[in-house]
Amino acid sequence: MASIPVFTSVPTGPAARGRAFGAAWRPRIEAAYTGYAKLFRVLGVTPEQVQDAGKRALEELGAWAPGLAEEVRGLASGAGLDTWQIAALNARTEILAAARAAGPTECSTVVVLPGDGAAPRTIQTWDWNETLREVPVVWVYEPEPGHVVRGFTEFGVLGKIGVNSAGLGVHFNILWHASDHPVVGVPVHAVARRILDEAGEVEHALDIAKSARLSASSIVTVVTYRDGRADVAGLELSPAGVGVTPPDSGGFYAHTNHFLDPAFSDGERLGPERPNTYHRLRLLQDRAGQLASPDLMERAQAMLGHSAAGEAPVCAHAGADEPLPNRSVTLATVSLDLAESRMTLHRGGPCQIASDTWQRV
């Protein structure tokens, strides 16, 4: 199985960084846009609506984080695409929300705080549409001199999952809330990216999240480790506000694809349609002991769960009879090493992992 591509940026300015990335991966970024355009079309979103969403997202991003808007323009220039096309890639969650389409939605995240001064133990399955198998990429860059970010994202998308040299990491799952609306706001992927670029503490990450005017929902799990102190909080982003989900009293934290903060759970829209999000969360909670293991392979084994075996589909495989928009597949398994500011990744789901398929970045 091929490894996930890795790109290390040399330019430090946002426009130059974007241009260099876009030029280096032009065919892959074009393919990512083509793949999303097809998915949007199947969901009934017209090309005109995609263009309008991209332009609106860029406007919102420019007002909220001008440097990230410059990077989007640089990406478009390097890749030979219109700026609105790159902006639309970054706003793909917002476009889905505007279309009232949940799309593929089966990511599962676990963080354990050992409580003995050891670093947090994290793991996530990243599930998305099976037609987009080739979109993952790892981007290593310095938004500021000496502040290194290692980010797992998609070609053309600013950010998603990652870790920075300040001792902060981010996991990312999609959510769906009654307050989601079609007037596109700041892309949730840009919120995750800005947290990685700027924050070193949960409170700073929360301030960044609260400052964004959103139109779609997601859960950004923020985990930190510094001087033997570990912390984790789930920031449940929605247009109605930002909920906060703490770990339990034993330091165990898990999140799938529904709201857990009581202040926002009444607006939950995904769970009633896709109840496997509840089943997956219970499965992870039942395996808390195994997921607390310091051994990454053991944690990966605890993420096994297949619907065909009567289990919650933590490790997702699309059924042959499922419609295209719902064909969720686990495209990557990711763990963050907060002590070393590194990531360990595997292209594919936990059931495909062997000792030699991990990729450390």
Side-chain angles (χ1 to χ4, degrees), residues 29 131 203 293:
I29 296 172
T131 65
E203 286 302 318
S293 171

Side-chain angles (χ1 to χ4, degrees), residues 218-254:
S218 285
I219 165 70
V220 175
T221 296
V222 178
V223 54
T224 62
Y225 180 66
R226 185 184 298 168
D227 300 327
R229 296 192 302 273
D231 196 8
V232 62
L235 309 185
E236 295 182 337
L237 313 182
S238 79
V242 179
V244 179
T245 304
D248 68 16
S249 58
F252 180 82
Y253 167 97

Side-chain angles (χ1 to χ4, degrees), residues 15 19 51 61 82 96 98 107 135 157 163 199 215 240 328 335 344 346:
R19 270 194 307 274
Q51 182 172 351
L61 187 60
D82 290 331
L96 290 173
C107 299
V135 299
V157 178
V163 61
S215 63
S328 289
S335 177
T344 304
H346 163 80

Side-chain angles (χ1 to χ4, degrees), residues 100-259:
R100 297 294 181 183
T105 53
E106 295 179 0
C107 299
S108 304
T109 294
V110 174
V111 176
V112 176
L113 307 181
D116 56 2
R121 295 158 190 168
T122 93
I123 192 165
Q124 165 174 7
T125 51
W126 181 64
D127 309 336
W128 202 232
N129 195 277
E130 69 170 357
T131 65
L132 297 165
R133 290 181 181 274
E134 300 304 317
V135 299
V137 62
V138 173
W139 194 354
V140 183
Y141 62 92
E142 294 184 40
E144 297 291 340
H147 182 88
V148 180
V149 175
R150 290 175 167 85
F152 168 86
T153 185
E154 304 171 55
F155 282 108
V157 178
L158 292 169
K160 185 192 306 292
I161 300 164
V163 61
N164 69 29
S165 57
L168 178 143
V170 161
H171 286 287
F172 192 95
N173 304 29
I174 198 170
L175 299 177
W176 202 14
H177 195 263
S179 64
D180 292 356
H181 60 79
V183 182
V184 171
V186 172
V188 288
H189 283 80
V191 177
R193 165 63 187 270
R194 188 171 171 186
I195 288 171
L196 285 167
D197 284 3
E198 299 180 14
E201 304 290 344
V202 168
E203 286 302 318
H204 189 184
L206 179 59
D207 289 342
I208 290 171
K210 286 182 174 180
S211 71
R213 182 167 56 189
L214 305 172
S215 63
S217 301
S218 285
I219 165 70
V220 175
T221 296
V222 178
V223 54
T224 62
Y225 180 66
R226 185 184 298 168
D227 300 327
R229 296 192 302 273
D231 196 8
V232 62
L235 309 185
E236 295 182 337
L237 313 182
S238 79
V242 179
V244 179
T245 304
D248 68 16
S249 58
F252 180 82
Y253 167 97
H255 213 296
T256 50
N257 302 106
H258 60 280
F259 282 83

